[in-house]
Amino acid sequence: MKDTQAQPIVEIEDLRVTFPQAEGSVRAVRGVSLALHPGESLGVVGESGSGKSVSWMAVMRLLRAPPAEVEAGRLRLAGIEVMQARREELTELRGRAAAMIFQDPMTAFDPVFTIGHQIIETIRAHRATSKRAARAEALDLLERVEIRNAEAILDSYPHQLSGGMLQRAMIAMALSCRPQVLIADEPTTALDVTVQAQILQLIKDLQDEMGMGLVMITHDLGVVAETVDRVVVMYGGKVMEEAPVVELFEDPRHPYTRALMVSIPGQEGGRRRLTEIPGASPDPSDPPEGCPFHPRCTQADAQCAAEEPPMAVLGPGRRAACWRLT
Amino acid sequence: MTGYILRRLLSVMVTFFVVSVIIFLMMHSIPGGPFDGGDMPVPEAVRQKLNAQYGLDQPLYVQYGRYMWGVLQFDFGVPFQSPGETVLELLGRAWVPSLVLGGLGVLIGVPLGILLGMAAALKRNSWIDYLASTVATLGLTIPVFVTSMLLILVFSVWLGWLPSSGWGEPERWILPIAAYATIPMATYARYMRSAMLDTLNKPFVTVLRAKGLSERQIVFQHVMRNSSIPLVTVFLPMFIGTATGSIFVEAMFRVPGLGSYFVSSIRTRDYPLEMALMLMLTVMFCLAYLISDILYAWLNPRIRHGGKQE
């Protein structure tokens, strides 16, 4: 599936997102660079406030400006520079080049229209098809996301369905225009544990089947382990480490990644106690000098507190930003 | 749905009965009677004869029973202040200017208010937003009789463009309608602005953008529909409110509408007319709310399906 020779679908270079506020701007994303190639699956991991969602909202140009201030050396979606894109170009890209699914399926649908209406309008926003043909497609999509009695669901209103059902419908809606990338922003966080695994498997299967790229934004390392090829770990609005998924789990290099691994319950030979990383996430309106992780890092020294660590290439597809690794 | 409507209609009847008793008692608890004189004192013997003629010498429950028996047959009696016609004839005559004034006021004020509120919400913190907020605040805080006086001062006294009072020719309608329209306009501008801002902040709007829908489609199909649900419910009651709401406007512009009868029927103890006016308002308000609720259910699937879960 992965095709690194081709033009990347998503190119992010030195992305910065700031939310100006009366006392001190919130610097949500502070210089992130990333690329996603066709058919590739990328996990973006970080705690809340790490800038993981905001970065991808910026790629879709879904951050409202004001308040958001987005700057980037390069921000391309399907080869188009989105920062300079006209409105019509953006509406064409959204849903088609990249589709997005969101955390809370219960609030993701317009409550006054049926599920069918909302899938059909998505199809018809991008392609000139008759309502009847679009409805047949919508039915087909609902069946593909393993919804039983799809015909009835098509005519249901969002409040009549369960969270798991709505998340499937949202996936169906996102796939309706055969996007090149599916950006899944915490797609299972709001769901029951029993449904989570099913939804992840579904996303994975559909990705393989349709050959599209996948971006899995999550705070849960368990989720990325099961669904993606490559992982980017974010902290304090920056990329800490990037690695193929197996290597990341076998040999995490950045102290933050290591700390995260230790804090996964059930790791490390069945320890029962929950381990946490001491300290709190950095205040985004007043991020620490130097490495954003240094106040909580066990290996930090004076240099970490003073200077920002450069991104060190550690091998093919592996990089990390830490003074200990340079 | 049919069961629901029937139950509501039943409750309208109960309300009607309760209101009729309350109004009747309150009306008669005001001291004095219709033939007590005032400007033109009537001899005691004549007064008693008149009271007997209109049944006012009977105990209250008999008077009430008689009146309501008549009402059930659509006989609302004869107004004391205008004995040459029945109450229904008087209302039919006076209703027309009020309906034209209130109806046109609402029909002009509501769309203007909606447009103003929409523009304010879509261009938040722009000049149009400040204009809309100013208009809405002024419209709601300045009493309508002050607005009326200002309009008369500017357009009749200073500019001399329009007549200051009367009814009849359509040019006499313009000022009272304009004065009256400020109320629904201000109300709707305020409601619409906040309803749209509220909807625009809903997560589903971000999803709609992420799907690649045009901003126009998002605003006109999704945001408008969601924002209009609360507005529908205030429309009909407001429309009915024109019957009383225009009392001041009618007084300022000397419009021969219903408004003046609300006051005069109480002042002159014109019991049949007063009862008829209040009962009519009661029924119309009840029906307006009933229709609004049905419309609301129709617009809002969450109510329509009554919490039915798959």
Side-chain angles (χ1 to χ4, degrees), chain A residues 211-279:
Chain A
M212 62 183 174
L214 172 69
V215 176
M216 181 66 74
I217 303 168
T218 179
H219 63 272
D220 187 348
L221 276 170
V223 168
V224 296
E226 290 164 36
T227 46
V228 302
D229 309 328
R230 192 156 61 92
V231 183
V232 164
V233 179
M234 285 185 68
Y235 185 81
K238 286 170 179 279
V239 173
M240 296 285 103
E241 181 165 10
E242 180 179 341
V245 68
V246 179
E247 288 179 41
L248 187 86
F249 277 90
E250 281 175 359
D251 178 25
R253 303 290 294 276
H254 195 284
Y256 175 61
T257 318
R258 289 188 187 167
L260 268 187
M261 296 289 177
V262 173
S263 64
I264 301 176
Q267 293 287 108
E268 307 265 315
R271 292 165 50 159
R272 299 204 65 105
R273 275 200 58 209
L274 292 174
T275 329
E276 57 176 35
I277 307 173

Side-chain angles (χ1 to χ4, degrees), chain B residues 2 39 64 136 169 175 197 227 247 273 277-278 291 294:
Chain B
T2 323
D39 300 340
Y64 176 79
E169 310 84 42
L175 286 187
L197 284 178
S227 316
I247 290 177
L273 183 58
L277 283 169
M278 298 315 288
I291 294 169
I294 294 169

Side-chain angles (χ1 to χ4, degrees), chain B residues 131-144:
Chain B
L131 176 77
S133 301
T134 312
V135 167
T137 314
L138 290 181
L140 290 174
T141 49
I142 299 182
V144 69

Side-chain angles (χ1 to χ4, degrees), chain B residues 238-275:
Chain B
M238 191 176 69
F239 194 79
I240 306 304
T242 57
T244 49
S246 57
I247 290 177
F248 293 116
V249 178
E250 289 183 11
M252 294 305 296
F253 293 97
R254 298 179 185 281
V255 177
L258 271 185
S260 61
Y261 289 108
F262 276 94
V263 185
S264 69
S265 69
I266 296 172
R267 202 183 56 231
T268 65
R269 313 285 185 275
D270 193 343
Y271 300 138
L273 183 58
E274 200 180 335
M275 275 300 277

Side-chain angles (χ1 to χ4, degrees), chain A residues 57 60 62 64 87 90-92 94-96 98-100 102 104 107-113 117-119 121-122 125-126 149 152-153 156-157 159-162 170 173 177, chain B residues 121 123 197 199-218 221-223 225-226 229 298-310:
Chain A
M57 293 285 275
M60 294 288 279
L62 287 172
R64 282 214 256 168
R87 263 187 172 203
L90 284 177
T91 52
E92 243 182 84
R94 290 175 187 150
R96 194 167 222 182
M100 203 158 176
F102 296 88
D104 187 359
T107 59
F109 286 91
D110 183 337
V112 306
F113 290 101
H117 178 103
Q118 300 187 53
I119 299 179
E121 78 177 349
T122 317
H126 292 282
N149 59 340
I153 301 301
S156 299
Y157 287 89
H159 70 276
Q160 295 172 302
L161 307 181
S162 67
M170 182 149 59
M173 189 160 78
C177 294
Chain B
K123 302 261 177 246
L197 284 178
T199 311
L200 282 168
N201 280 325
K202 293 258 162 78
F204 75 76
V205 175
T206 307
V207 177
L208 293 173
R209 291 207 178 97
K211 299 200 296 192
L213 258 53
S214 69
E215 204 61 25
R216 210 183 53 204
Q217 210 176 348
I218 293 172
Q221 288 179 14
H222 292 273
V223 178
R225 172 103 184 238
N226 276 276
I229 292 173
W298 178 68
L299 279 173
N300 189 340
R302 280 162 297 187
I303 306 281
R304 198 188 324 154
H305 296 285
K308 189 178 77 187
Q309 288 280 330
E310 288 289 308

Side-chain angles (χ1 to χ4, degrees), chain B residues 37-237:
Chain B
D39 300 340
M40 290 186 291
V42 188
E44 180 60 21
V46 178
R47 196 176 68 87
Q48 280 183 2
K49 188 160 179 293
L50 279 170
N51 276 344
Q53 186 189 328
Y54 286 103
L56 297 174
D57 53 348
Q58 304 285 325
L60 270 188
Y61 64 88
V62 175
Q63 290 188 37
Y64 176 79
R66 276 190 186 166
Y67 188 78
M68 290 311 283
W69 182 244
V71 165
L72 289 180
Q73 297 158 62
F74 284 95
D75 174 11
F76 290 84
V78 171
F80 299 152
Q81 55 185 284
S82 168
E85 57 189 339
T86 63
V87 165
L88 280 183
E89 281 165 351
L90 184 149
L91 290 182
R93 169 167 62 79
W95 191 264
V96 179
S98 291
L99 196 69
V100 172
L101 168 58
L104 286 179
V106 167
L107 289 183
I108 291 167
V110 167
L112 278 180
I114 287 179
L115 285 176
L116 207 56
M118 267 180 72
L122 291 177
K123 302 261 177 246
R124 209 180 167 184
N125 297 329
S126 68
W127 64 271
I128 190 125
D129 188 12
Y130 296 126
L131 176 77
S133 301
T134 312
V135 167
T137 314
L138 290 181
L140 290 174
T141 49
I142 299 182
V144 69
F145 51 85
V146 175
T147 321
S148 303
M149 278 196 281
L150 283 174
L151 286 172
I152 291 173
L153 187 66
V154 174
F155 293 99
S156 303
V157 180
W158 290 349
L159 296 171
W161 289 354
L162 293 163
S164 65
S165 68
W167 199 240
E169 310 84 42
E171 67 189 47
R172 296 188 185 275
W173 297 5
I174 298 173
L175 286 187
I177 288 173
Y180 186 73
T182 55
I183 306 169
M185 183 177 78
T187 313
Y188 265 72
R190 222 169 59 105
Y191 272 121
M192 193 66 196
R193 180 181 181 273
S194 64
M196 275 197 72
L197 284 178
D198 189 49
T199 311
L200 282 168
N201 280 325
K202 293 258 162 78
F204 75 76
V205 175
T206 307
V207 177
L208 293 173
R209 291 207 178 97
K211 299 200 296 192
L213 258 53
S214 69
E215 204 61 25
R216 210 183 53 204
Q217 210 176 348
I218 293 172
V219 168
F220 286 97
Q221 288 179 14
H222 292 273
V223 178
M224 279 292 281
R225 172 103 184 238
N226 276 276
S227 316
S228 65
I229 292 173
L231 297 189
V232 168
T233 42
V234 288
F235 180 77
L236 273 179

